Structures are given as structure tokens and as C-alpha cells.
Amino acid sequence: MHTLLVTGPGGAGRPTVAAATALAAARAGRRVLLLSGDPGDPLGPLLG
């Protein structure tokens, strides 16, 4: 099992990078769990 943390300052595109990385890993056949600690849940609009 691997853990990848996407960090950076506000406005750096963390949710977009995290979602794109998770999607690429899932398409490669890996099991993926994508979590967000941001109170505004920015991943919701990205993932539908």
C-alpha cells in the first residue's frame, strides 16, 4: 500500500491535482481512496 499526500498553499490547485492523480491511478488498475480535509469539500464539484 502507498500513501500520497497532496499539499500546498491555498489556490495552488490541490484538489484538481489530487483528483487527476487518483483518476490516473484508478485507470491503471490500482485501488484508490480519495479524501479531502478541506471544510468546503472542493472535491465534490470535481467528481460530480
Side-chain angles (χ1 to χ4, degrees):
M1 177 172 70
H2 292 88
T3 301
L4 175 65
L5 300 176
V6 179
T7 66
R14 287 183 314 264
T16 304
V17 170
T21 303
L23 179 61
R27 285 184 175 165
R30 294 189 175 127
R31 292 176 52 187
V32 174
L33 174 63
L34 181 59
L35 300 172
S36 173
D38 289 337
D41 187 27
L43 292 174
L46 285 172
L47 301 175

